[in-house]
Amino acid sequence: LGEVAARHHGTIGHRAGDGVMVIFNDPMPCEEPVLDAVRLALDVRSAWSELRRPWERLGHSVGIGVGITSGYATLGLLGDEGSADYTAIGNAVNLAARLCDVAEDGQVLIDQRAYLDVETRVEAKPQGERAIKGYSQPVLSFAVESLE
């Protein structure tokens, strides 16, 4: 995933269990961070269909869901001497994680702000507003189907 993320101008910021966070537009700026994130997500989704086959042959049900948001985050080294990681924290990060949680297998969900950044470049279906853990107001999301 690191090689694919780098190809799409992303930086792996955190790995935990079955989750990976990829940061865009920092530490290296990119012109279209949301579009780069969508391209990465679609590439990963495509590759996952092949990678999952051995696990499914063994009877394991494995899936992938992606959440993409646009917004501000605090970035930098987090931790202490000897165990610090370059990562991001903030509302945009939390919402992306929550969108991952509610995404169905193979689904790439983006929030409204991210959708506005790429609406002319992607085919996406509105998912309506949904209650998201940790948010007092429902969140509008879109499921990205493909690039136009």
Side-chain angles (χ1 to χ4, degrees):
L1 181 59
E3 180 183 318
V4 177
R7 187 170 53 239
H8 290 285
H9 311 113
T11 301
I12 294 183
H14 184 74
R15 292 175 293 284
D18 64 353
V20 176
M21 175 178 57
V22 180
I23 301 165
F24 292 85
N25 211 29
D26 192 275
M28 297 301 294
C30 52
E31 291 191 27
E32 298 179 291
V34 175
L35 187 59
D36 288 339
V38 168
R39 286 180 176 140
L40 171 61
L42 295 176
D43 281 357
V44 168
R45 180 175 70 184
S46 177
W48 184 250
S49 64
E50 184 67 31
L51 293 171
R52 74 191 314 160
R53 286 189 183 138
W55 294 101
E56 289 174 338
R57 288 188 61 212
L58 295 171
H60 300 288
S61 176
V62 291
I64 187 170
V66 177
I68 298 172
T69 59
S70 178
Y72 294 99
T74 300
L75 294 111
L77 289 174
L78 185 65
D80 55 21
E81 192 174 323
S83 68
D85 292 313
Y86 185 82
T87 193
I89 57 174
N91 187 56
V93 176
N94 294 339
L95 182 54
R98 298 294 185 251
L99 290 176
C100 285
D101 291 344
V102 299
E104 297 175 11
D105 182 24
Q107 199 170 42
V108 176
L109 292 179
I110 61 176
D111 73 333
Q112 183 176 16
R113 184 172 176 175
Y115 177 71
L116 292 174
D117 286 348
V118 296
E119 67 182 321
T120 62
R121 310 284 293 279
V122 301
E123 290 184 34
K125 293 182 181 173
Q127 300 299 291
E129 292 182 333
R130 66 174 85 200
I132 299 287
K133 178 182 169 185
Y135 290 83
S136 59
Q137 299 295 317
V139 173
L140 180 61
S141 64
F142 298 81
V144 176
E145 302 294 321
S146 63
L147 293 170
E148 287 194 343

